[in-house]
Amino acid sequence: YIKYGSGEQRMSALARSNLIDFIQSIVSKPFNDRGIDQIINVTDQEPYSFNVIIDTFLKSKSHPIRPVVRIPKSSIKILTRIMGLLFPDKKEWIHGWYEKLASSLIFDNKKMLKTGFNPKHNLNTIFL
C-alpha cells in the first residue's frame, strides 16, 4: 500500500451494496416522488481518509497483507514538476497527478441523502 504524505487526505467511496440499495430505494418509489431529476452523487455516508482505508485493508482477511510505503508529498511534487518540464505538452495533466494524490477527493452526497436514502454499509461492514 502506498501512503502519500500524512495519509489524512480523504476520499468518497461507494460500497457496491450501497449502490444496489440506492437503486432499489429509488425504483420502489412512485415516479414523481423519486427526486432524481438531476445528477446525484451516490457515496457511502462519510468519506474515508487514506489512513483508515489502509488500516481497514490491513485488518481485512480479504486483502493480502502488504507493507505500507510512505512517500512524502514533497517528493511527488518535485517528480511531477520535473516530468512537466520533460513533457511540456502534458504538463497540466502530469501536474494534476500531484493534485489528485495530495488533495482530498470528496463528492457532495446531500442530494442522495435528501431522497431519504441512508447508506448502511461502510468499509468495516464490507471488509471486516
Side-chain angles (χ1 to χ4, degrees):
Y1 301 107
I2 299 174
K3 183 188 296 192
Y4 301 102
S6 68
E8 289 303 314
Q9 309 91 309
R10 298 182 314 144
M11 67 175 285
S12 295
L14 175 61
R16 184 178 6 198
S17 47
N18 281 337
L19 178 59
I20 292 167
D21 291 348
F22 176 76
I23 292 169
Q24 288 175 337
S25 76
I26 292 298
V27 170
S28 67
K29 292 180 179 181
F31 187 76
N32 292 336
D33 294 337
R34 292 183 182 172
I36 55 170
D37 59 343
Q38 54 195 337
I39 295 173
I40 297 177
N41 295 319
V42 182
T43 68
D44 289 356
Q45 187 77 28
E46 298 292 330
Y48 306 102
S49 75
F50 284 92
N51 288 331
V52 168
I53 294 168
I54 290 170
D55 289 345
T56 302
F57 285 172
L58 289 172
K59 292 175 188 172
S60 170
K61 304 242 186 279
S62 64
H63 282 72
I65 295 178
R66 298 179 178 150
V68 177
V69 177
R70 291 170 177 80
I71 300 177
K73 280 199 263 186
S74 59
S75 298
I76 299 165
K77 188 170 191 171
I78 292 167
L79 179 63
T80 56
R81 294 312 180 245
I82 292 170
M83 290 179 66
L85 293 171
L86 296 173
F87 303 99
D89 57 326
K90 296 186 179 193
K91 180 179 177 179
E92 293 302 317
W93 182 68
I94 293 170
H95 288 188
W97 294 353
Y98 172 76
E99 296 304 322
K100 288 178 180 147
L101 294 172
S103 305
S104 293
L105 181 60
I106 301 173
F107 295 97
D108 183 359
N109 64 5
K110 289 183 185 106
K111 291 179 186 175
M112 175 195 72
L113 297 172
K114 282 184 181 179
T115 68
F117 175 73
N118 287 306
K120 61 183 175 184
H121 299 283
N122 58 42
L123 282 177
N124 290 331
T125 63
I126 299 297
F127 292 109
L128 299 180

